[in-house]
Amino acid sequence: QVQLVESGGGSVQAGGSLRLSCAASRSIPSIYVMGWYRQSPGKKRELVATIISGGRTNYGDFVKGRFTISREDASNTVFLQMNDLKAEDTAVYYCNFVGWDSTSWWGQGTQVTVSS
């Protein structure tokens, strides 16, 4: 079975940057969509960004140009570069892969804490 392993989370002061990564523990033949979601206590999980095979991207409205999603298909990896972090960005960030056959995988989450 495939497991998504996340890394790059941590604590940072407001205005700082973090780079998250998520890679499949085993190779996946084809991945249609790679994405990042986040969830804070008392809130529903929300979309941060997605990137479709071919490079088309979609971002949550709150990003306002601060985040950039990218993917490396050869290594089955998705990245999220987060700049100018704000306190409200504090959350557990989850990566998600969706295959062309609609199979979906989720990471276990990585904590991002932004102090103000």
Side-chain angles (χ1 to χ4, degrees), residues 1 5-7 10-11 18 20 22-23 25 30-31 35 38 41 46 54-55 66-68 70 79 86 101 105 109:
Q1 61 180 6
V5 182
E6 302 180 21
S7 63
S11 299
L18 286 173
L20 306 183
C22 173
S25 60
S30 181
I31 303 172
R38 70 185 188 185
E46 63 180 351
R66 299 180 297 121
F67 295 1
T68 301
S70 60
F79 302 93
K86 304 175 180 180
D101 62 354
W105 300 269

Side-chain angles (χ1 to χ4, degrees), residues 6-10 20-21 36 91-95 107-113:
E6 302 180 21
S7 63
L20 306 183
S21 64
W36 289 94
V92 177
Y93 285 70
Y94 300 88
C95 60
Q108 293 185 325
T110 184
Q111 178 70 48
V112 171
T113 301

Side-chain angles (χ1 to χ4, degrees), residues 56-74:
R56 289 188 296 136
T57 58
N58 179 58
Y59 294 94
D61 292 337
F62 60 86
V63 173
K64 299 179 181 179
R66 299 180 297 121
F67 295 1
T68 301
I69 187 171
S70 60
R71 60 189 284 170
E72 292 183 351
D73 290 328

